[in-house]
């Protein structure tokens, strides 16, 4: 991919961050490994300034400090978002003229694929503050793709906290309004008020509905239900395909995906399926991935990227998951790290980042103070 010689094809160095301590382990005794640190304060400052500018741009898009919107503003935002979803020109419409379950993006758009967020607003801010992502979105060169399950925390002690879910949606809705052609939100199994949406016995779907009704009124609840129903289930370009759960294990056609409103079993599969493993012996397999690619009319090696199914408590992405070539899982809701997939040239590439308390940095009154730098190491 980078044109390196055969001499460096092996791993030479392992770097771990253990409770804030960097541990370097040389893996190849014959390799020359040199460690250097950046002693140019201007380069360090330039990186910090770029991230701070990105956060300030997010604050501008949001319209102020990142706090829960008022009932009136949140309802206005949501109504705008629902209209944007109805008018999305990247989605094939069904026979009734309604948007279907598939969204097809132009090949030139660079995807920034985010796995489950589960109400970790800081993790979304981390992505938006890093590198080129936000500028590429604003310039219309990239597309932020959220693979569903943006709501309902999975952290012990936070399972009943619905404030963070509402705040995450508030931010996403503002992004959709400002970047309507450059933000895609797929439906996951948690985009629902159903009783089956639960964690550790806590009915998060029902609790979220109650919180929204109590804080923002029944009209807002009704609009959120419309929002869930308007979400697409699959996104594709010639470079990748993605959904929340996984491919169905039955024979479905492309038209069935477009007419997904008439196929509840297909909805369930795309949002709930997991790859076959010891955890789920009845999950989808290699042949299901192959059939899914054929259904969508993409090449047989096209990467399939899914969320929903983290395979460990510490990692954030898994390549060739389930021993299926070009089948990857991404998860973005850990407290300590998160991952995204993006395209580098022709290749879909994962990037793993440590998390940071960026809401505090974003809302700090004096962003130029020394204290603000503590949030951006």
């Amino acid at each position: 991919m980078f044109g390196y010689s055969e001499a460096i094809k092996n791993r030479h160095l392992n770097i771990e961050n253990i409770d804030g301590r960097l541990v370097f382990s040389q893996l190849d005794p014959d390799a020359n490994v040199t460690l250097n640190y950046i002693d140019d304060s201007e380069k360090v400052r330039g990186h910090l300034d770029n991230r701070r500018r990105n956060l300030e741009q997010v604050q501008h898009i949001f319209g102020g400090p990142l706090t829960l919107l008022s009932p009136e503003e949140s309802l206005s935002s949501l109504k705008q978002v629902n209209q944007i979803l109805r008018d999305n020109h990247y989605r094939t419409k069904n026979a009734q003229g309604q948007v279907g379950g598939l969204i097809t993006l132009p090949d030139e758009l660079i995807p920034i694929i985010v796995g489950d967020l589960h109400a970790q607003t800081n993790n979304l801010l981390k992505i938006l503050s890093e590198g080129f992502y936000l500028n590429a979105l604003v310039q219309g060169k990239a597309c932020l793709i959220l693979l569903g399950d943006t709501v309902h925390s999975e952290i012990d002690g936070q399972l009943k906290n619905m404030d963070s879910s509402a705040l995450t949606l508030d931010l996403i809705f503002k992004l959709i309004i400002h970047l309507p052609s450059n933000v895609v939100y797929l439906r996951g199994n948690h985009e629902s008020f159903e009783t089956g949406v639960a964690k550790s016995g806590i009915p998060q779907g029902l609790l979220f509905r109650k919180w929204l009704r109590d804080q923002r009124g029944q009209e807002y609840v009704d609009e959120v239900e419309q929002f869930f129903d308007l979400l697409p289930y699959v996104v594709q370009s010639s470079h990748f395909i993605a959904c929340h759960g996984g491919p169905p294990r039955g024979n479905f056609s492309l038209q069935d995906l477009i007419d997904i409103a008439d196929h509840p079993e297909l909805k369930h599969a795309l949002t709930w399926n997991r790859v076959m493993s010891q955890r789920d012996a009845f999950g989808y397999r290699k042949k299901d991935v192959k059939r899914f690619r054929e259904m969508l009319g993409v090449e047989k090696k096209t990467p399939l990227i899914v969320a929903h199914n983290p395979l460990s408590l510490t990692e954030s992405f898994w390549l060739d998951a389930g021993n299926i070539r070009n089948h990857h899982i991404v998860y973005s809701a850990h407290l300590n790290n998160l991952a995204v997939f993006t395209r580098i040239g022709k290749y879909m590439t994962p990037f793993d980042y440590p998390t940071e308390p960026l809401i505090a940095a974003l809302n700090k009154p004096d962003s130029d103070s020394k204290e603000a730098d503590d949030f951006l190491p």
Side-chain angles (χ1 to χ4, degrees):
M1 177 175 172
F2 292 103
Y4 291 139
S5 68
E6 285 291 308
I8 63 168
K9 70 178 182 178
N10 296 324
R11 294 175 61 204
H12 294 168
L13 182 69
N14 186 66
I15 306 175
E16 294 180 276
N17 186 327
I18 302 176
D19 296 329
R21 294 177 294 108
L22 288 181
V23 178
F24 300 89
S25 305
Q26 187 167 339
L27 303 178
D28 186 345
D30 297 325
N32 293 320
V33 177
T34 303
L35 302 180
N36 293 291
Y37 68 95
I38 299 175
D39 58 358
D40 188 334
S41 61
E42 290 301 316
K43 290 183 179 179
V44 175
R45 172 57 58 182
H47 176 67
L48 294 177
D49 288 346
N50 178 66
R51 294 198 62 206
R52 187 171 290 109
R53 283 193 297 270
N54 287 339
L55 288 175
E56 289 171 352
Q57 190 163 11
V58 171
Q59 191 175 55
H60 174 73
I61 289 172
F62 193 75
L66 193 61
T67 57
L68 287 168
L69 297 177
S70 68
E72 295 77 18
E73 187 174 2
S74 62
L75 179 60
S76 175
S77 292
L78 180 50
K79 286 184 174 181
Q80 292 179 67
V81 167
N82 283 346
Q83 191 57 50
I84 289 170
L85 292 180
R86 294 186 187 97
D87 296 336
N88 191 300
H89 57 281
Y90 293 144
R91 292 175 70 176
T92 305
K93 295 187 177 181
N94 59 25
Q96 290 73 41
Q98 299 171 333
V99 287
L102 173 66
I103 185 164
T104 303
L105 296 178
D107 291 342
E108 62 269 18
L109 275 183
I110 300 171
I112 304 167
I113 301 178
V114 181
D116 300 16
L117 283 170
H118 283 299
Q120 299 304 316
T121 317
N122 275 316
N123 292 9
L124 179 55
L125 289 175
K126 174 68 174 181
I127 296 164
L128 295 173
S129 72
E130 283 290 340
F132 77 96
Y133 295 135
L134 184 57
N135 284 340
L137 291 170
V138 172
Q139 294 171 11
K141 298 178 181 180
C143 184
L144 180 68
I145 300 171
L146 305 167
L147 296 187
D149 279 14
T150 66
V151 295
H152 305 157
S153 175
E154 294 204 321
I155 305 300
D156 288 342
Q158 300 179 11
L159 300 180
K160 296 181 180 180
N161 176 8
M162 296 299 147
D163 295 48
S164 57
S165 292
L167 180 61
T168 303
L169 286 184
D170 284 346
L171 175 56
I172 292 171
F173 292 164
K174 290 290 187 178
L175 291 170
I176 293 174
I177 291 168
H178 282 78
L179 306 167
S181 297
N182 300 90
V183 178
V184 168
Y185 186 140
L186 298 187
R187 188 167 190 173
N189 57 298
H190 277 262
E191 274 70 34
S192 171
F193 292 140
E194 294 181 0
T195 57
V197 178
K199 180 73 174 180
S200 300
I202 295 174
Q204 292 180 308
L206 295 179
L207 288 178
F208 194 35
R209 186 210 298 266
K210 182 180 185 303
W211 188 98
L212 293 175
R213 185 177 62 244
D214 293 345
Q215 300 296 322
R216 296 181 171 178
Q218 185 60 45
E219 185 178 5
Y220 189 86
V221 172
D222 295 340
E223 288 288 339
V224 171
E225 286 192 298
Q226 288 187 46
F227 170 74
F228 291 159
D229 289 338
L230 285 167
L231 291 174
Y233 288 77
V234 177
V235 59
Q236 70 168 14
S237 77
S238 65
H239 300 289
F240 73 96
I241 53 179
C243 62
H244 175 70
R249 294 197 62 193
N251 291 315
F252 293 93
S253 68
L254 183 60
Q255 192 61 46
D256 292 335
L257 179 57
I258 295 170
D259 296 330
I260 197 165
D262 301 324
H263 298 279
E265 68 280 15
L266 182 55
K267 290 182 181 180
H268 187 273
L270 292 169
T271 54
W272 284 93
N273 276 5
R274 301 179 189 271
V275 68
M276 186 176 68
S277 64
Q278 291 182 342
R279 179 181 178 184
D280 191 347
F282 298 98
Y284 62 86
R285 296 177 288 174
K286 180 179 179 179
K287 66 177 183 179
D288 301 306
V289 174
K290 177 182 178 182
R291 185 168 53 235
F292 194 46
R293 291 184 176 122
E294 291 172 348
M295 182 188 86
L296 294 169
V298 299
E299 295 183 3
K300 62 180 181 180
K301 293 183 179 180
T302 301
L304 167 61
I305 300 171
V306 301
H308 180 58
N309 188 25
L311 301 183
S312 79
L313 297 177
T314 56
E315 297 172 282
S316 56
F317 68 88
W318 298 265
L319 301 177
D320 299 331
N323 293 318
I324 303 172
R325 288 290 303 275
N326 294 315
H327 164 254
H328 314 313
I329 298 175
V330 59
Y331 191 74
S332 307
H334 289 315
L335 282 179
N336 296 318
N337 63 310
L338 65 116
V340 300
F341 269 85
T342 190
R343 179 166 55 83
I344 307 296
K346 299 185 296 182
Y347 299 92
M348 295 301 298
T349 305
F351 287 86
D352 187 83
Y353 299 99
T355 59
E356 297 177 85
L358 294 178
I359 294 176
L362 187 68
N363 291 342
K364 198 168 187 64
D366 184 3
S367 61
D368 293 327
S369 69
K370 174 61 176 68
E371 290 79 4
D373 289 344
D374 295 338
F375 292 106
L376 299 173

